[in-house]
Amino acid sequence: METRKRKNDLLTLLLMVMVASALVPVGESFLLVRRPDGSKRQIIGVKQTQQILSALQSSSSSTGSFKEATVEWLSRLGRELKQVSDCASIVASAVMLKPDKVKAEDIVTLCDAIDDLENEKGKTQQTDDVLFVSQEPLDLRIRAMKSKRYEYLVKLMQSNYDAYVATASFLSPSRIARRELPNIQDVPVDKNSIPSTTIITAEDGKTPLVADCELEDMKYKDSLLDKILLSIFRNLVTKNTGGVTSDKPGIEGLLEQGRTFMLQPNQTPEAQHEMVYKTLGGLMTPALPPFYRIFMSGIVPKSIDGEGKQLGPWFYAPFLTSFVTPTFFGFLVGPSYPNRRKDGQLGGLVVEKCKFLQESGCKGLCLHQCKLPAQQFFQEELGLPLTVSPNFVTQECQWSFGETPLPPNEDPAFPKGCLVGCESRKAMAASGSKADICN
């Protein structure tokens, strides 16, 4: 009898393991179904857990403390799967909502709900009575509500961009962290700041200038990869500028090379664009651009099609490019992360505080040795449109892959004139040159 009981206990334990192995992946992957009457979605695993729980409660093979432990374990599993199901439904409802159904008031209401959950979480003590959902009560629901708010902001951006900017400016940073916004391109850092109406001019009293960034400088921590790529890039710049070099280390030396090249007599914007174009091409090596053109931009090689037809860019190209870029261009621009473009679509990337712009303080270098040549390189060499939109007030920079750029003189978001503290402008004035290097 004792041996048979042990066998039954082992069989029951084996059944528990099999049930857990089957149910946990269901809960984690958020597989949703609709009941026959069309009512609210639920995870299949929740119902299955309840059925198994009922069977175990009435089973004669599980007795005593072992049966109680089994029932309690499955009860906890059922509760957590129910929580996952509810949170998955919260996110799914936001994803499937039509953009024209979202109003600014809905986002404010979501902020109120998230604040209530955060307050409730603060009053709840941490518990170890969990299996896999969360080590903190309410964490999963808070993340689900924040995901819903993010999706609502995206929908609002798609339907009414001006309303999105107004809403985001009102709620951030006091209620929504700036990094949690899907796009920060036209959202001021401080909603209480009043744009200055004072016109800043150069020493001649006529030439308009752009105010310098007043935010605190970011301290950059270069990785080993950043240092290697910067060294390669500087060597390529030396080669493509005819020998222009600098004894300064790191990004400061690169910027001195760029400024020296820009201030050469009879220098032209086109020559600067060509220099950066060649440098980017050398950095990517001869192998990467053809691979990118085929598998990302959908360009049929001329050897296959007589004229080289472009079938893309493929739908995934902007997003994947924004996902990979931060790793390989951080040495130039600093930390960045993927976000949404102004149209609400995937394929955006925001530079938190551009290293190139912060360290140079030069709008001309930004325009002619970063923005324009980068846009030209992606369009002509890689086959994917790119819009680079620097923010000179915050030194953030929005990169929008798959978005066709406007010429700077037609772009209302690109200011006219040089930065107030620009060293390049001062050097130009000292030399007596009147060349327009910033437009």
Side-chain angles (χ1 to χ4, degrees):
M1 288 293 292
E2 187 67 25
T3 302
R4 180 177 298 177
K5 183 180 177 181
R6 289 180 181 175
K7 288 183 178 180
N8 288 338
D9 288 346
L10 288 173
L11 288 173
T12 306
L13 180 60
L14 179 61
L15 174 62
M16 287 173 50
V17 174
M18 293 173 64
V19 169
S21 299
L23 290 183
V24 172
V26 171
E28 290 177 341
S29 58
F30 302 161
L31 295 181
L32 303 178
V33 296
R34 188 175 289 278
R35 292 170 178 163
D37 61 357
S39 60
K40 186 179 177 181
R41 290 182 174 87
Q42 69 174 28
I43 288 182
I44 298 175
V46 175
K47 186 175 181 181
Q48 292 174 336
T49 304
Q50 292 169 345
Q51 292 173 346
I52 294 169
L53 180 59
S54 299
L56 281 172
Q57 286 174 334
S58 60
S59 171
S60 60
S61 62
S62 298
T63 58
S65 60
F66 181 77
K67 177 183 176 180
E68 292 175 1
T70 302
V71 171
E72 176 60 23
W73 188 88
L74 285 174
S75 296
R76 289 160 56 189
L77 180 60
R79 289 194 300 269
E80 294 194 12
L81 287 173
K82 176 74 163 57
Q83 184 180 1
V84 171
S85 173
D86 292 343
C87 292
S89 297
I90 290 172
V91 178
S93 65
V95 171
M96 292 184 292
L97 190 66
K98 293 183 179 179
D100 58 1
K101 299 296 183 181
V102 176
K103 296 180 175 59
E105 294 80 4
D106 300 331
I107 299 172
V108 176
T109 301
L110 281 172
C111 287
D112 294 337
I114 292 170
D115 289 343
D116 291 341
L117 288 172
E118 293 279 8
N119 291 333
E120 184 180 348
K121 174 187 172 183
K123 298 176 183 178
T124 305
Q125 294 184 349
Q126 184 175 349
T127 177
D128 294 328
D129 187 30
V130 291
L131 298 177
F132 65 90
V133 170
S134 170
Q135 292 301 314
E136 287 281 351
L138 302 176
D139 269 359
L140 186 64
R141 185 168 292 273
I142 291 172
R143 289 199 296 269
M145 293 295 287
K146 286 186 175 182
S147 296
K148 181 176 182 178
R149 183 178 65 188
Y150 183 91
E151 290 297 329
Y152 270 40
L153 287 166
V154 170
K155 305 289 185 185
L156 184 61
M157 184 162 50
Q158 292 172 338
S159 62
N160 189 333
Y161 182 74
D162 291 337
Y164 163 78
V165 172
T167 304
S169 301
F170 175 71
L171 294 173
S172 180
S174 59
R175 305 195 67 184
I176 305 178
R178 190 167 178 83
R179 185 157 182 158
E180 293 179 5
L181 295 173
N183 184 283
I184 59 175
Q185 198 165 340
D186 296 309
V187 180
V189 172
D190 182 2
K191 66 185 177 188
N192 297 316
S193 63
I194 302 175
S196 175
T197 57
T198 304
I199 299 176
I200 306 174
T201 58
E203 291 77 3
D204 59 8
K206 299 178 181 179
T207 306
L209 297 178
V210 179
D212 292 323
C213 174
E214 296 182 358
L215 300 181
E216 184 179 352
D217 284 353
M218 177 179 282
K219 303 297 182 183
Y220 302 102
K221 296 181 180 179
D222 293 337
S223 66
L224 178 61
L225 177 62
D226 291 335
K227 294 176 181 178
I228 293 173
L229 290 175
L230 180 58
S231 177
I232 295 172
F233 195 86
R234 288 193 60 179
N235 289 334
L236 289 169
V237 168
T238 300
K239 174 184 175 181
N240 294 320
T241 55
V244 175
T245 186
S246 169
D247 293 331
K248 293 183 179 180
I251 189 70
E252 292 84 2
L254 174 64
L255 293 171
E256 184 170 83
Q257 288 177 271
R259 183 177 281 110
T260 300
F261 185 67
M262 179 179 67
L263 298 179
Q264 287 179 343
N266 303 317
Q267 184 60 272
T268 64
E270 292 75 19
Q272 295 180 71
H273 303 169
E274 182 180 5
M275 181 272 291
V276 178
Y277 191 106
K278 291 180 178 179
T279 302
L280 289 174
L283 184 67
M284 290 192 171
T285 74
L288 184 57
F291 177 86
Y292 190 99
R293 285 196 296 268
I294 295 173
F295 295 102
M296 301 288 273
S297 300
I299 298 176
V300 180
K302 293 182 180 180
S303 58
I304 300 177
D305 185 288
E307 299 180 354
K309 185 183 299 182
Q310 181 166 3
L311 305 176
W314 305 122
F315 70 93
Y316 53 78
F319 167 70
L320 284 183
T321 305
S322 69
F323 185 77
V324 172
T325 299
T327 301
F328 298 100
F329 277 89
F331 76 96
L332 277 178
V333 298
S336 60
Y337 58 91
N339 69 346
R340 299 288 184 126
R341 304 182 320 209
K342 287 181 69 172
D343 60 3
Q345 300 302 314
L346 296 171
L349 179 147
V350 61
V351 178
E352 295 182 42
K353 202 168 191 294
C354 180
K355 180 194 296 187
F356 194 86
L357 182 56
Q358 174 183 292
E359 300 303 325
S360 69
C362 179
K363 184 165 167 274
L365 285 174
C366 170
L367 178 64
H368 295 300
Q369 295 189 23
C370 182
K371 172 180 166 63
L372 293 181
Q375 291 176 172
Q376 181 185 8
F377 183 83
F378 268 86
Q379 177 65 70
E380 297 179 4
E381 189 68 19
L382 302 181
L384 181 70
L386 166 65
T387 296
V388 178
S389 304
N391 184 331
F392 297 101
V393 175
T394 64
Q395 293 181 340
E396 296 165 327
C397 189
Q398 175 71 33
W399 289 48
S400 298
F401 299 98
E403 182 181 286
T404 302
L406 291 172
N409 59 353
E410 298 178 14
D411 186 355
F414 194 82
K416 304 296 187 291
C418 191
L419 294 174
V420 172
C422 178
E423 295 298 326
S424 303
R425 176 177 58 84
K426 296 175 183 178
M428 293 285 289
S431 68
S433 172
K434 296 183 179 181
D436 186 2
I437 61 174
C438 294
N439 298 296

